[in-house]
């Protein structure tokens, strides 16, 4: 490494939190003032009171606040300044020198915590049921405004700018041939990266494919009928349309964060308030997390969920992360014209299941398409074994 006074160098970083901050977090959890119980017997009004009360009880009395830092410290962490902003990233190199470099991008309400379960199997496949030929060198950055990355102080950090920063990061790391992966915002950033096609990027994997014809997404987003002349939809295409109509009619969190992020200032004050908002991302995920806090074994544990919320609160990124929704100019789910080799994994509890017909049109260089038996929006976090296998199989042809 060069002179550490140069902020564009790769500076080693240790993720940790002052004990005083942790003590204050616990104090605020214990002092939470709860609202009354919801007036319905389902989750249609948002995160249930009983779930929040159990979350707060467990968080304050049983949760190990050292978990999240220890998990991140299990692999090398770095910070480097790109385009005027500090970018934090985990960089885990495989012991197999022929490993394929892979940059993995998280989403909201996620963080690099989401991907920690997949790192070891990706970098050391021979210890996790794979072959040395399946190995990856893994780079997992925190998006601007998230985790330990810097918080933008001006407008402009949209997915396309983030994608350019990722290309620069991989260049600084010396990777001249690499792939990219993403879900949620990570999928949009990865699509943008593929559209920019920087030197060295050879293909992508997505678990939230951008495949909807733009005119159809626009109609769904605005609550309008499908455009006149829309070809008759197949059963799978109609299912995706129906799922997206439901999603758009309930994704008020996205509209609030996109238009009025500063009005969410209470997230900096109340950890349980932050958790209540973060848990209510989509119906399937909320149901999964609610069952976890009710003591039912699911793909996510109570500790998993609280690792992520703890990172958000201790880094005070509830508002700064929200601003990405107002920066984005790309369609959330629409086809964007990606031409690079693309692998697509479809999880059954994702907000929508990408039909193969639309996927083949959206990604004409489709090298892998698979529907999985279980898993949802936070696939790497919830079903790491399935997710790792999808990366191994889906990107295998790029190693030739």
């Amino acid at each position: 490494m060069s002179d550490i006074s140069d902020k564009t160098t790769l500076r080693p970083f240790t993720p940790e939190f002052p004990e005083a901050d942790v003590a204050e977090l616990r104090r605020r959890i214990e002092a939470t003032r709860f609202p009354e119980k919801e007036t319905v017997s389902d989750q249609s009004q948002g995160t249930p009171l009983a779930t929040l009360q159990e979350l707060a009880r467990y968080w304050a009395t049983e949760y190990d606040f050292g978990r999240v830092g220890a998990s991140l410290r299990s692999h090398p962490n770095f910070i480097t300044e790109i385009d005027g902003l500090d970018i934090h990233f985990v960089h885990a190199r495989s012991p197999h020198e022929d490993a394929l470099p892979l940059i993995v991008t998280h989403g909201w309400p996620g963080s690099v915590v989401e991907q920690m379960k997949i790192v070891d199997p990706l970098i050391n496949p021979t210890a996790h049921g794979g072959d040395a030929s399946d190995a990856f060198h893994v780079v997992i950055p925190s998006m601007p405004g998230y985790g330990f990355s810097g918080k933008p102080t001006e407008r402009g950090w949209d997915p396309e700018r983030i994608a350019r920063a990722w290309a620069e990061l991989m260049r600084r790391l010396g990777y001249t041939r690499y792939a990219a992966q993403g879900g949620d915002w990570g999928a949009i950033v990865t699509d943008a990266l593929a559209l920019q096609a920087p030197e060295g990027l050879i293909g992508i994997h997505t678990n939230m494919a951008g495949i909807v014809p733009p005119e159809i997404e626009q109609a769904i987003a605005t609550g309008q009928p499908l455009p006149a002349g829309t070809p008759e939809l197949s059963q799978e295409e109609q299912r995706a349309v129906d799922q997206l109509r439901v999603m758009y009619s309930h994704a008020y969190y996205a509209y609030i964060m996109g238009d009025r992020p500063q009005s969410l200032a209470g997230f900096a004050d109340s950890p349980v308030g932050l958790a209540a908002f973060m848990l209510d991302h989509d119906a399937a995920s909320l149901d999964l997390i609610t069952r976890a806090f009710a003591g039912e074994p699911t793909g996510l544990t109570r500790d998993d969920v609280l690792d992520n919320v703890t990172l958000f609160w201790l880094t005070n990124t509830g508002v700064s992360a929200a601003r990405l929704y107002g920066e984005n100019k790309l369609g959330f789910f629409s086809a964007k014209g990606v031409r690079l080799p693309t692998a697509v994994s479809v999880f059954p509890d994702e907000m929508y299941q990408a039909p193969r017909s639309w996927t083949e049109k959206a990604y004409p260089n489709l090298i892998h398409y698979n529907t999985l038996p279980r898993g949802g929006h936070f696939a790497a976090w919830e079903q790491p074994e399935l997710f790792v296998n999808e990366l191994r199989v889906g990107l295998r042809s790029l190693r030739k």
Side-chain angles (χ1 to χ4, degrees), residues 202-204 337-344 359-369 394-395 397-398:
I202 59 174
I204 67 171
V338 173
R339 294 292 182 266
L340 284 180
T342 301
V344 172
T359 303
E360 290 175 341
K361 292 176 183 177
Y363 302 102
N365 200 348
L366 186 68
I367 57 174
H368 173 81
Y369 175 92
L395 299 177
S397 65
L398 300 181

Side-chain angles (χ1 to χ4, degrees), residues 116-177:
M116 288 300 101
K117 294 179 184 178
I118 67 173
V119 176
D120 282 330
L122 289 177
I123 67 173
N124 193 11
T126 56
H128 297 272
D131 298 324
S133 58
D134 291 323
F136 293 89
H137 300 308
V138 178
V139 179
I140 309 175
S142 296
M143 289 195 296
Y146 288 71
F148 294 105
S149 280
K151 301 174 184 179
T153 58
E154 59 183 9
R155 298 294 303 270
W157 274 100
D158 58 16
E160 292 150 306
R161 187 172 177 181
I162 296 172
R164 290 191 293 272
W166 282 191
E168 172 60 16
L169 175 59
M170 296 303 274
R171 187 196 67 78
R172 290 185 190 178
L173 290 170
Y175 292 133
T176 58
R177 190 173 186 274

Side-chain angles (χ1 to χ4, degrees), residues 250-271:
H250 293 286
Y252 298 111
Y253 64 87
Y255 300 116
I256 293 170
M257 290 191 288
D259 189 51
R260 314 292 287 181
Q262 204 64 21
S263 294
L264 301 174
F267 291 169
D269 183 65
S270 171

Side-chain angles (χ1 to χ4, degrees), residues 124-371:
N124 193 11
T126 56
H128 297 272
D131 298 324
S133 58
D134 291 323
F136 293 89
H137 300 308
V138 178
V139 179
I140 309 175
S142 296
M143 289 195 296
Y146 288 71
F148 294 105
S149 280
K151 301 174 184 179
T153 58
E154 59 183 9
R155 298 294 303 270
W157 274 100
D158 58 16
E160 292 150 306
R161 187 172 177 181
I162 296 172
R164 290 191 293 272
W166 282 191
E168 172 60 16
L169 175 59
M170 296 303 274
R171 187 196 67 78
R172 290 185 190 178
L173 290 170
Y175 292 133
T176 58
R177 190 173 186 274
Y178 63 93
Q181 195 286 326
D184 194 85
W185 278 118
I188 298 172
V189 170
T190 299
D191 272 354
L193 185 62
L195 288 171
Q196 293 165 11
E199 184 177 0
L201 181 64
I202 59 174
I204 67 171
H205 172 274
T206 177
N207 56 291
M208 196 186 82
I211 47 80
V212 184
E215 65 279 7
I216 290 182
E217 183 177 19
Q218 177 64 22
I220 295 171
T222 56
Q224 302 299 312
L226 298 187
T230 298
E232 183 177 355
L233 302 180
S234 69
Q235 182 178 350
E236 291 76 17
E237 291 165 352
Q238 185 61 58
R239 179 184 63 179
V241 168
D242 294 342
Q243 290 172 326
L244 287 170
R245 284 199 185 280
V246 171
M247 190 285 303
Y248 266 109
S249 66
H250 293 286
Y252 298 111
Y253 64 87
Y255 300 116
I256 293 170
M257 290 191 288
D259 189 51
R260 314 292 287 181
Q262 204 64 21
S263 294
L264 301 174
F267 291 169
D269 183 65
S270 171
V272 173
L274 173 65
F277 193 80
M278 291 175 63
L279 266 57
D280 192 18
H281 177 273
D282 64 274
S285 296
L286 177 58
D287 178 66
L288 182 79
I289 293 168
T290 297
R291 289 187 284 118
F293 278 98
E296 179 182 336
T298 68
L300 292 179
T301 67
R302 294 178 294 183
D303 286 334
D304 289 333
V305 174
L306 290 174
D307 286 347
N308 190 48
V309 183
T310 297
L311 178 65
F312 263 79
W313 197 84
L314 287 174
T315 56
N316 194 13
T317 48
V319 172
S320 58
R323 294 193 182 104
L324 181 56
Y325 282 84
E327 298 291 348
N328 181 50
K329 304 174 189 66
L330 300 173
F332 283 111
F333 312 110
S334 61
K336 299 172 182 63
V338 173
R339 294 292 182 266
L340 284 180
T342 301
V344 172
S345 299
V346 181
F347 288 86
D349 291 326
E350 179 56 273
M351 294 183 292
Y352 64 101
Q353 281 70 62
R356 182 162 195 143
S357 57
W358 282 353
T359 303
E360 290 175 341
K361 292 176 183 177
Y363 302 102
N365 200 348
L366 186 68
I367 57 174
H368 173 81
Y369 175 92
N370 189 33
T371 57

